[in-house]
Structures are given as structure tokens and as C-alpha cells.
Amino acid sequence: MDDDRHREGLAPRRSRRIYLLPNAFTTAALFCGFYAIVQAMNGRFEVAAIAIFVAMVLDSLDGRVARMTNTQSAFGEQYDSLSDMVSFGAAPALIMYEWSLRGLGKWGWLAAFIYVAGAALRLARFNTNIGVVDKRFFQGLPSPAAAALVVGLVWIVTDLRQTRWITASGADLAWASFVLTVYAGITMVSNAPFYSFKDINLKKSVPFIFVIGIVLLFVLVSSDPPVVLFSLFLLYGMSGYVLWLWRWRRGGTPPWQETAGAEAADDDPDDAGEVDEVAERTRRREN
């Protein structure tokens, strides 16, 4: 039928079918984000925070399921971005606002908006930079990690209040919440390189010690999930600036620029010659 339409000068008819399995995971992640917003409105902040972490797990699975089953599609990519905007953009900002930032007045909702805008810009830049940047590093803090950083504070404080380790509430930590929310929003749109873990080959054999390490990691997380997860994401949220500063002091280029340029040169010999010519002209001007 498409061949007949092509002979008649008409565009081929697009298929309206979508792949069920990967989009089911994306829908589940979207549901978790919406559920977190509802629970935050009802004052159940611990449940809302846990829902965001569940959305992170589901979001990490949909792409892998699509690649394993060869069901990638442009629809799935766009749907995943919209789901991430709800689960890791709007939901964490609203949870933090309801939990702590409301008492700051306009400063509270401005901090929440900075986070939402940062998440939107981060996702838009990520979609436009696919295939251009080095896959080993994210350019800016990933939105799921930023969401974990924000709601992780909500979860850990709520949990520690229930176990009577601390007496502070969201209102008492309003300005700390303000700083963390703004930090997460700005870091998402920064150029700081954050390791993506995408170069880890799960099909490759590893020493037995790695299996023991995974077991210990699960034991560590299960011992106290709020404290351990928040600590891990807090360290990850600062790691990009540490790597950025380290490379800046060495006079190196950001990881994604360095590798992206090298890959482009390898793919196209003409581009490689142009890169060498530009570098030579730069050296002459400096001399």
C-alpha cells in the first residue's frame, strides 16, 4: 500500500502502532510521579519520596527493555522525556514546596520554579545532544539524580523524625531546602561532567570480587535506605564539579567535547583534516 502511495506521489502512511512493553514501564514511571504529587498534597511526604525512587528504577528499565527487545521508537523517546518531566521535574519541586518551601513565600516557589525550569532545559538539551556527546559522561546532573537529591532530603528527615533521631521538620530546614533545590536545578543545566555508567558492559566477565561488592552494596542500602541513598546521591551530585575542577586545573577539555571531537574525526577523514588545520592555525596565532 505504501508503494502505491509512493507511485501516486503521496507520502507513505505512518503506522499508528506502538510497542507495548517499554512504554508500559514508562507509563508506570509516569504514574509514580503523579502518585507522588497526590501524596505530597495529602501530607504523606515519605510515601511521595519513595514513589520518586520507584520511578527512577522504572525509568532505568524502559530503555534497556526497548534495546533488549529491539522495540526502540521515536514515540518511546518522546514519551520517556515527557514522563521524566513529570516524575523528575514537576513532582520533586512540588513535593519540596509542600514540605518545606511554602513558608518562604515567593522565595519558596521561585526555588521550586528554578528546579522545574532546570529539569525542562536539561531534558531538552539531552534530546538534542544525543549522538554528539560522549556517552560515558552526562553534561550536567541527570534529572533522576537531581530528583533523588531533592526528595532524598525529604525522606531522610521524615524517617529520622519518626525514629526520634532528630526533631527538625521541613519548616525548620526551609533555607537548607532552598539551597539544595536551587543547587539541583542549576547543576542540571551546568556543563559539569557526571559519570553515566553507560560504558559498563554487563555481558563482559568480571572478577568474583565484583559480585561480593554488589552483595555488600545491597546490604548497605537495605540497612538504612533513606540515609544510604541520600548520601550516595549527594556524593554523586558533587562529583561532577570535582571532576570539572580537576580537569580544569590540568588544562584539559571537558570529557564530552574531547571524545566527541575524536569520534567525529574517526568517522570522517575530511573532518579530521579540518580539525588538524584549525589546531595548527590556533598554534600559529598563539606563537
Side-chain angles (χ1 to χ4, degrees):
M1 184 178 295
D2 289 342
D3 293 339
D4 294 339
R5 294 175 62 86
H6 180 72
R7 284 195 296 269
E8 294 174 2
L10 301 176
R13 182 176 299 173
R14 293 183 178 179
S15 175
R16 296 183 180 180
R17 296 183 178 182
I18 60 175
Y19 295 109
L20 177 61
L21 187 59
N23 291 309
F25 281 93
T26 305
T27 303
L30 177 62
F31 171 79
C32 289
F34 177 76
Y35 181 77
I37 294 174
V38 174
Q39 294 305 312
M41 293 171 61
N42 293 330
R44 303 180 64 187
F45 299 109
E46 183 178 10
V47 177
I50 294 174
I52 297 299
F53 279 95
V54 175
M56 289 178 56
V57 175
L58 295 170
D59 180 69
S60 66
L61 292 176
D62 58 1
R64 287 177 171 81
V65 169
R67 289 188 292 270
M68 290 174 59
T69 57
N70 195 24
T71 54
Q72 304 99 316
S73 65
F75 173 85
E77 293 177 359
Q78 300 302 320
Y79 186 33
D80 182 68
S81 295
L82 294 174
S83 174
D84 289 351
M85 185 58 209
V86 174
S87 299
F88 309 129
L94 291 173
I95 293 171
M96 181 60 81
Y97 178 79
E98 290 290 332
W99 181 69
S100 179
L101 297 177
R102 180 189 290 272
L104 297 180
K106 67 177 181 179
W107 292 108
W109 63 259
L110 282 174
F113 175 73
I114 289 175
Y115 179 89
V116 172
L121 293 170
R122 169 70 177 83
L123 291 168
R125 183 175 66 177
F126 176 80
N127 290 337
T128 56
N129 285 349
I130 293 178
V132 177
V133 299
D134 184 1
K135 293 183 179 180
R136 296 178 303 165
F137 294 92
F138 291 118
Q139 188 178 1
L141 184 66
S143 57
L149 196 60
V150 171
V151 301
L153 178 64
V154 179
W155 190 10
I156 190 175
V157 172
T158 304
D159 181 74
L160 292 179
R161 276 179 57 83
Q162 292 178 355
T163 55
R164 301 182 183 277
W165 277 93
I166 63 171
T167 58
S169 63
D172 300 330
L173 299 173
W175 285 109
S177 303
F178 175 88
V179 172
L180 185 65
T181 304
V182 172
Y183 174 84
I186 294 177
T187 305
M188 279 190 286
V189 295
S190 70
N191 287 328
F194 290 87
Y195 186 57
S196 67
F197 301 97
K198 290 184 177 181
D199 59 341
I200 298 177
N201 188 358
L202 299 178
K203 298 180 180 180
K204 184 180 179 181
S205 61
V206 295
F208 183 74
I209 189 67
F210 282 88
V211 179
I212 300 177
I214 294 175
V215 173
L216 293 177
L217 179 62
F218 276 109
V219 172
L220 183 64
V221 173
S222 61
S223 64
D224 196 339
V227 173
V228 175
L229 290 176
F230 178 71
S231 301
L232 290 176
F233 281 104
L234 184 62
L235 292 175
Y236 182 74
M238 296 185 296
S239 64
Y241 291 109
V242 173
L243 180 58
W244 200 7
L245 179 62
W246 178 71
R247 293 189 63 87
W248 175 75
R249 295 193 62 177
R250 293 185 58 191
T253 58
W256 62 83
Q257 292 182 3
E258 183 179 81
T259 307
E263 291 177 352
D266 292 340
D267 293 339
D268 192 340
D270 295 336
D271 291 345
E274 294 177 1
V275 171
D276 293 339
E277 184 178 351
V278 171
E280 181 63 27
R281 288 201 299 267
T282 303
R283 285 194 295 268
R284 290 177 180 175
R285 286 197 298 269
E286 292 177 351
N287 295 332

